[in-house]
């Protein structure tokens, strides 16, 4: 008997939790800062609707129609004699490699939450606070210990089952995350000088876009990658729901939640940066180096900083729980193992495979796979973000639209089963031919920006 969510809210919050992650709350604010503020946000939202939303509906449809994870969904739906089932290897690899570095980053967030809570940054100058991040990375005990803690928490929650573990905990974490965000956003907006940041964030000024093509590609990439599409991480939740609601309605709800979190993260970070005369486009160091400096100079900064990193930790952990659930379900369907055996084996595999990333900043720092200064994490991120996500999404799109796959008619029948907003059949040409071209462009651009 297939597991089911206890209600629709559970499905929406867990699906949103899977989509909402580091890309929303870490990458989105600084990429908005880099590419001109509100003008970038508008372009991002446009591509989120025309690109991310249709692919998400397709992933949900494959999951619900097959009632299987990506391990067997293509086997169930593919025409006889075709090889779409090879997609299972992309999905399994994508989920594992994503967790190989995601668990370490979540560990960083936990560690910074702890340091903020106990006031470790109080009294430090700018240089000392900046150095704290490097000191953390260079310490293998902290790196491995925090990663191990994240893996333990994630698999412990999943061991309690879909309803009593994954759904119950994800609901509380997502609701807490949303509450924390609103409190932090209000605090940021009342800082002296914050309104200049709000203007930068909300009032489009296309003159700020130095290179329009770079901005467009960045917006396309962010809209595409923010939803974690292409490796079956979303499809699994389609297999857990009934046919009472049309899947476009469900996807719109999840995309809106994902977008809300990204936009509010911008309200937390960007006005704070302007209030303290900090460049919001500084890049990945914005969260772990620049913002701790802001909190250190803010009244009750250790409390606000602790709340900020707790919110980031929840965002990362909801994704980890969702992907762990996918790994467990795929492994069980693939091998026929029991739930308890799958948990134990998956726990060991994820922990061992996550060690190279955790040690890549210290013991294994001599390994620089993408050139001088690169890390093992950079390679793992590149494999997932620039390869498996776009190519996996391309497979889902082609499978749902091609006559040599599941086909557009079958996809429409599944997507439009139930009540709610229908997926329009009039966009058949667009989703069959234009979206694959866009995905290929994103894939190629990823290599161009990385190596040229």
């Amino acid at each position: 008997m297939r597991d089911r969510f206890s209600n629709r809210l559970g499905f929406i919050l867990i699906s949103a939790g899977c989509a909402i992650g580091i890309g929303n709350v870490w990458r989105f604010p600084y990429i908005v800062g880099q590419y001109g503020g509100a003008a970038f946000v508008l372009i991002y939202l446009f591509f989120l609707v025309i690109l991310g939303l249709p692919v998400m509906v397709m992933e949900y449809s494959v999951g619900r129609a097959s009632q299987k994870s990506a391990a067997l969904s293509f086997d169930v739906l593919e025409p006889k004699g075709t090889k779409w089932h090879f997609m299972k290897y992309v999905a399994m690899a994508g989920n594992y490699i994503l967790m190989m570095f995601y668990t370490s980053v979540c560990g960083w967030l936990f560690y910074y939450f702890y340091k903020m809570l106990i006031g470790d940054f109080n009294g430090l100058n700018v240089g000392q606070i900046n150095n704290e991040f490097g000191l953390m990375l260079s310490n293998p005990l902290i790196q491995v210990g925090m990663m191990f803690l994240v893996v333990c928490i994630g698999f412990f929650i999943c061991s309690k089952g879909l309803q009593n573990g994954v759904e119950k905990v994800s609901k509380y974490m997502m609701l807490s995350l949303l509450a924390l965000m609103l409190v932090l956003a209000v605090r940021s907006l009342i800082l002296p000088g914050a309104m200049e940041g709000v203007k930068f964030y909300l009032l489009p000024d296309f003159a700020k876009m130095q290179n329009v093509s770079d901005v467009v590609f960045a917006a396309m990439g962010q809209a595409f990658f923010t939803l974690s599409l292409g490796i079956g991480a979303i499809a699994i939740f389609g297999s857990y729901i009934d046919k009472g609601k049309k899947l476009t309605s469900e996807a719109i709800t999840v995309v809106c939640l994902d977008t809300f979190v990204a936009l509010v993260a911008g309200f937390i970070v960007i006005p704070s940066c302007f209030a303290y005369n900090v460049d919001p486009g500084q890049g990945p160091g914005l969260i772990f180096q620049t913002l701790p400096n802001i909190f250190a100079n803010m009244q009750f900064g250790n409390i606000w900083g602790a709340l900020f990193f707790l919110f980031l930790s929840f965002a990362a952990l909801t994704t980890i729980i969702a992907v762990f659930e996918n790994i467990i379900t795929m492994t069980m369907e693939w091998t026929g193992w029991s739930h308890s055996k799958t948990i134990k084996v998956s726990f060991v595999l994820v922990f061992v495979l996550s060690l190279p990333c955790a040690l890549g900043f210290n013991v294994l720092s001599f390994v620089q796979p993408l050139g001088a200064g690169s890390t093992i994490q950079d390679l793992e991120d590149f494999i997932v973000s620039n390869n498996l996500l776009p190519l996996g999404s391309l497979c889902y799109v082609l499978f749902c639209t091609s006559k040599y796959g599941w086909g557009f008619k079958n996809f429409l029948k599944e997507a439009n089963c139930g009540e709610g907003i229908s997926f329009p059949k009039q966009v058949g040409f667009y989703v069959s031919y234009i979206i694959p071209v866009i995905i290929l462009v994103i894939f190629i651009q990823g290599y161009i920006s990385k190596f040229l």
Side-chain angles (χ1 to χ4, degrees):
M1 184 71 179
R2 191 69 173 171
D3 281 344
R4 288 281 182 264
F5 291 115
S6 61
N7 53 47
R8 181 170 172 250
L9 178 64
F11 160 73
I12 289 171
L13 290 179
I14 295 171
S15 295
C18 182
I20 294 166
I22 296 167
N24 300 74
V25 298
W26 178 7
R27 189 172 186 267
F28 184 76
Y30 79 72
I31 203 171
V32 169
Q34 287 177 341
Y35 290 103
F40 171 85
V41 174
L42 286 178
I43 298 171
Y44 160 75
L45 293 174
F46 172 73
F47 282 112
L48 196 66
V49 172
I50 70 163
L51 180 60
L53 183 62
V55 179
M56 176 172 273
V57 176
M58 291 178 184
E59 272 212 40
Y60 277 147
S61 297
V62 170
R64 190 169 74 172
S66 65
Q67 291 293 287
K68 301 291 183 184
S69 71
L72 292 178
S73 56
F74 289 90
D75 298 71
V76 171
L77 300 177
E78 69 181 1
K80 288 184 179 180
T82 58
K83 304 296 182 183
W84 294 97
H85 57 273
F86 282 109
M87 177 62 191
K88 70 179 71 173
Y89 303 108
V90 174
M92 185 64 88
N95 281 268
Y96 267 104
I97 299 173
L98 179 63
M99 291 298 98
M100 285 162 63
F101 65 89
Y102 218 98
T103 49
S104 287
V105 176
C106 187
W108 302 349
L109 298 171
F110 277 9
Y111 186 66
Y112 263 61
F113 163 68
Y114 167 73
K115 287 175 72 66
M116 281 287 178
L117 194 63
I118 64 173
D120 249 16
F121 294 107
N122 295 348
L124 300 184
N125 61 36
V126 173
Q128 290 172 323
I129 291 176
N130 288 344
N131 288 336
E132 284 294 311
F133 186 55
L135 290 173
M136 178 192 70
L137 294 181
S138 64
N139 189 321
L141 290 178
I142 292 175
Q143 286 288 90
V144 174
M146 296 309 296
M147 178 271 288
F148 179 71
L149 176 63
V150 169
V151 175
C152 287
I153 292 172
F155 276 110
F156 174 75
I157 292 169
C158 290
S159 71
K160 300 300 180 181
L162 180 66
Q163 287 190 19
N164 293 324
V166 175
E167 182 179 351
K168 185 179 292 185
V169 174
S170 294
K171 276 183 183 179
Y172 285 121
M173 276 203 296
M174 281 296 299
L175 294 173
S176 300
L177 183 152
L178 296 173
L180 281 171
M181 291 192 76
L182 293 175
V183 171
L184 288 164
V186 170
R187 172 57 186 160
S188 179
L189 291 171
I190 62 175
L191 290 171
M195 284 303 106
E196 288 302 311
V198 174
K199 291 177 184 177
F200 172 82
Y201 193 39
L202 293 184
L203 300 179
D205 183 357
F206 290 94
K208 291 178 181 176
M209 296 194 304
Q210 301 294 321
N211 189 319
V212 175
S213 62
D214 286 349
V215 175
V216 170
F217 279 123
M220 286 168 61
Q222 179 68 14
F224 183 70
F225 297 126
T226 186
L227 298 174
S228 303
L229 301 170
I231 55 174
I234 289 293
I236 181 68
F237 300 115
S239 74
Y240 288 150
I241 58 173
D242 58 32
K243 297 181 184 289
K245 283 283 184 179
K246 293 179 179 177
L247 292 172
T248 303
S249 297
E250 307 296 67
I252 288 173
T253 304
V254 172
V255 168
C256 286
L257 263 177
D258 178 86
T259 305
F260 173 79
V261 169
L263 293 176
V264 177
F267 275 115
I268 295 170
V269 174
I270 293 174
S272 298
C273 288
F274 274 79
Y276 286 90
N277 296 313
V278 169
D279 178 12
Q282 289 186 24
L286 182 67
I287 296 297
F288 292 103
Q289 293 174 309
T290 306
L291 287 178
N293 271 297
I294 291 177
F295 291 125
N297 289 285
M298 185 185 292
Q299 189 176 14
F300 306 116
N302 61 315
I303 296 174
W304 294 112
L307 289 175
F308 178 73
F309 282 100
L310 180 63
F311 137 65
L312 291 176
S313 300
F314 282 172
L317 192 57
T318 52
T319 299
I320 286 170
I321 292 169
V323 176
F324 279 4
E325 173 65 18
N326 196 27
I327 287 173
I328 292 164
T329 305
M330 286 186 1
T331 303
M332 288 174 63
E333 291 180 356
W334 208 342
T335 62
W337 292 345
S338 67
H339 190 257
S340 60
K341 180 179 179 180
T342 303
I343 292 277
K344 293 171 186 175
V345 173
S346 300
F347 174 89
V348 173
L349 280 175
V350 169
F351 173 67
V352 171
L353 291 171
S354 298
L355 286 173
C357 175
L359 299 174
F361 299 93
N362 38 77
V363 177
L364 299 177
S365 60
F366 63 90
V367 181
Q368 300 178 6
L370 296 179
S374 66
T375 63
I376 292 171
Q377 184 194 46
D378 293 328
L379 174 63
E380 292 169 350
D381 187 18
F382 176 74
I383 291 171
V384 175
S385 298
N386 293 73
N387 293 274
L388 298 183
L389 290 179
L391 294 178
S393 293
L394 181 62
C395 285
Y396 271 103
V397 172
L398 294 177
F399 183 69
C400 289
T401 58
S402 171
K403 64 180 179 180
Y404 302 106
W406 190 32
F408 191 60
K409 286 184 179 179
N410 288 325
F411 157 68
L412 274 182
K413 182 180 178 182
E414 181 62 42
N416 292 339
C417 182
E419 299 178 350
I421 301 171
S422 296
F423 193 94
K425 63 180 180 181
Q426 294 86 354
V427 300
F429 179 84
Y430 168 73
V431 296
S432 300
Y433 299 101
I434 306 300
I435 285 184
V437 170
I438 295 175
I439 294 174
L440 284 174
V441 168
I442 293 173
F443 173 71
I444 294 168
Q445 178 63 22
Y447 272 81
I448 292 172
S449 61
K450 195 76 175 178
F451 297 110
L452 295 181

